[in-house]
Amino acid sequence: MARNLLFHHYGAQDYVKIAEQAAKWIKTTELPAPGGKVWEQSPDSDEDFSDYPMLTPTALYGGSAGIGLFYLRLYQATGKEAYLEEARAAAGHLMTLDVGEGFYQKILGRKKERKDKLVHVKNMPGWEIGFYNGPTGWAYLARKLYDVTGEERYKAYVLKVMDGLLAAARQSEDGIYWSGQNDLCGDAGFVIHLISAWELSGDGKYLDAAKSFGDFLLTKAAPAPRGGR
């Protein structure tokens, strides 16, 4: 009879072993890229996701930034240097990419897509530039690598990404904003990174920007039927 895995009592090391099994499979999907590595997108699917903004090769959500973070956490759990090198390879490629103001302007200035499959996400530029899919997700991996290694190149990259984000901010009388899509997947996610950049650098411009967007966000609140907003 097959062993029932559902009701097995797992300990911490069981989960580490399962994660290492996943790492072995992920290893089979890696591809060389300038400065490091990327990984195949949906390798077991015949569907074309090339125009789907949630499955870009670099995203924290479904690309190399997320895979790099997985490897980094696995290194922290096991101490195995090979996993740290995989995380470095993920970040190495991301750090070769253009992460300036132009990334945001190109997406935010684009006309809405035609109404075809996945139109609900293709017309969400805030999600496309946001924490899970844009450069701030790449910077998140770099920040965690800096925390582990103390290497200044990762710190410098984080601040470079955040300066590009600030340059792309739109001004209003209520405060700064980017896409006007204010959920965590969109503009609101930037607050986390702006505060992190302030903590990392001590530069008040990042904290000021977080507060400015917070002021903008407060103007979008609406009264809740039973109190609060």
Side-chain angles (χ1 to χ4, degrees):
M1 181 180 294
R3 188 159 58 100
N4 190 324
L5 299 178
L6 182 61
F7 297 106
H8 178 74
H9 293 289
Y10 292 97
Q13 288 307 309
D14 293 314
Y15 292 116
V16 171
K17 288 179 181 178
I18 291 168
E20 290 197 280
Q21 290 171 6
K24 287 181 180 179
W25 178 79
I26 293 171
K27 184 74 176 171
T28 68
T29 72
E30 69 180 32
L31 301 167
K37 297 178 182 179
V38 293
W39 287 261
E40 290 182 60
Q41 293 293 294
S42 301
D44 294 332
S45 174
D46 294 328
E47 180 133 12
D48 179 13
F49 289 106
S50 60
D51 61 345
Y52 183 40
M54 302 305 178
L55 285 178
T56 61
T58 56
L60 186 67
Y61 178 84
S64 57
I67 291 172
L69 185 62
F70 167 75
Y71 275 123
L72 182 61
R73 295 307 192 201
L74 198 49
Y75 163 70
Q76 291 176 292
T78 66
K80 295 179 181 179
E81 290 288 332
Y83 296 136
L84 177 59
E85 292 310 306
E86 296 286 1
R88 288 182 188 275
H93 173 59
L94 295 172
M95 290 167 65
T96 69
L97 303 177
D98 178 13
V99 293
E101 176 184 3
F103 174 90
Y104 302 94
Q105 300 294 9
K106 179 180 178 181
I107 293 170
L108 294 175
R110 192 169 59 204
K111 293 182 179 179
K112 285 191 175 183
E113 299 279 352
R114 64 187 184 280
K115 292 186 177 181
D116 59 4
K117 66 171 186 174
L118 303 173
V119 65
H120 60 295
V121 293
K122 290 181 183 178
N123 291 336
M124 294 289 284
W127 288 8
E128 193 170 351
I129 66 171
F131 171 27
Y132 294 105
N133 301 292
T136 53
W138 314 345
Y140 185 79
L141 171 61
R143 172 62 197 267
K144 296 307 175 183
L145 275 164
Y146 175 75
D147 290 343
V148 170
T149 69
E151 294 182 22
E152 288 294 321
R153 63 186 179 125
Y154 295 126
K155 176 180 177 180
Y157 178 74
V158 171
L159 299 181
K160 176 185 176 183
V161 171
M162 300 314 298
D163 287 343
L165 176 69
L166 289 184
R170 298 173 171 179
Q171 303 292 328
S172 79
E173 62 182 13
D174 299 317
I176 64 170
Y177 70 102
W178 287 268
S179 69
Q181 291 159 357
N182 297 321
D183 60 339
L184 187 64
C185 294
D187 293 5
F190 295 146
V191 172
I192 299 168
H193 298 284
L194 289 167
I195 293 173
S196 177
W198 168 63
E199 292 172 338
L200 188 63
S201 67
D203 192 329
K205 68 181 180 182
Y206 301 116
L207 182 59
D208 290 343
K211 290 179 178 179
S212 180
F213 174 69
D215 291 340
F216 174 85
L217 194 59
L218 288 174
T219 68
K220 306 304 175 184
R226 298 182 181 179
R229 299 184 74 77

